[in-house]
Amino acid sequence: MRIVIALGGNALLHRGERPDADVQQANIDRVATAVAALAQEHEVVVTHGNGPQIGLLAVESATDPALSAPYPLDLLGAQTQGMIGSLLVRTLYDTLPGRRVTALVTHTVVRADDPAFRHPTKFVGQVYPRSEARALAHRHGWRIAQDTTGWRRVVPSPSPERIVEADIVHELLNAGTPVVCAGGGGVPVTADPDTGALHGVEAVVDKDLTAALLAEDLKADFLLILTDVPNVYADYGTPEQRPVLDATPTDLRRGGFPAGSMGPKTEAAARFVERTGGLAAIGALEAAQEIVHGRSGTLVRPEMPVP
């Protein structure tokens, strides 16, 4: 079976943890154990989040006196792919002895006219007091918005249209090589309509929607979205909260899951199942193998045909 695994950012850095290299390495050891167990039996592609990492690099770049302007988000995204990919590959080498493993920096094509560029909503970087946020916005041309605890930079999150290196990933899988790719949704680029030339853009592509597109392109059998909760919950955080163990794309879209947390994951699962007829699931990292075997998580299956 061919499985695309989408790791949430919390799999690499838990909420409240310092973004130190040794902390991330310890978390990646847990990730590698879960991935290796699946890679023993299946063809595996691993994608990952990069929210804390790109936020840290963005802050460092904006405050570096050696730079006349901060690095653009496409280059910062490429940096996080290299860093996280290296950590994952080195650890997977230890847990999959004798296997070839590789990490690939990948680019995700988005439309230059995507409405998201006019309405940025994706929070990036640290929280600032309003006055400091406004000063930074004026200095760097940022858009800012109020988060739960203060003010933060917001950037566009356009929809992924195509993954440039999907054919290379396909060839590596066919050669028996587990691949780490499409980190942070991929490096966001537009493609020139005449020449095909790629141009980086200031944006962050949703990692789960990119994972769904990648799984579709690779003709994967299963999209596995791993996070820090055991399954999707209906009415989360209310007295009526209850687990959703089995769902169709229609069920998920009726659930009204919040855009800032479970919403992109349920939409990614729904898209993959609708477009391919395959299976998707959402659940906890530690239960990855149990989820694939149907014993944990939220299973997302195709709609039943109307009799």
Side-chain angles (χ1 to χ4, degrees), residues 45-105:
V45 176
V46 180
T47 73
H48 59 80
N50 71 341
Q53 294 82 6
I54 197 171
L56 178 64
L57 291 179
V59 170
E60 290 176 347
S61 182
T63 56
D64 190 335
L67 298 176
S68 58
Y71 275 33
L73 287 172
D74 56 303
L75 294 184
L76 296 179
Q79 288 184 48
T80 64
Q81 282 196 56
M83 177 182 69
I84 297 169
S86 176
L87 288 170
L88 281 166
V89 165
R90 282 184 280 172
T91 308
L92 285 170
Y93 268 126
D94 293 337
T95 52
L96 292 169
R99 296 283 297 276
R100 298 188 306 171
V101 185
T102 192
L104 186 67
V105 173

Side-chain angles (χ1 to χ4, degrees), residues 288-303:
Q289 196 158 23
E290 295 293 303
I291 295 169
V292 170
H293 288 92
R295 296 191 290 267
S296 185
T298 297
L299 178 68
V300 186
R301 53 178 173 75
E303 311 283 346

Side-chain angles (χ1 to χ4, degrees), residues 117-147:
F117 285 107
R118 297 191 299 273
H119 305 285
T121 58
K122 181 74 172 178
F123 288 108
V124 171
Q126 71 184 67
V127 176
Y128 298 98
R130 183 176 183 180
S131 58
E132 186 177 357
R134 294 182 67 176
L136 288 167
H138 178 75
R139 185 184 314 155
H140 300 303
W142 291 352
R143 296 280 292 274
I144 60 170
Q146 192 167 18
D147 200 356

Side-chain angles (χ1 to χ4, degrees), residues 241-267:
Q241 175 178 310
R242 60 196 183 280
V244 177
L245 304 180
D246 183 89
T248 65
T250 299
D251 296 332
L252 292 180
R253 293 206 173 99
R254 287 173 177 164
F257 299 102
S261 56
M262 193 55 74
K265 295 175 176 56
T266 55
E267 177 59 26

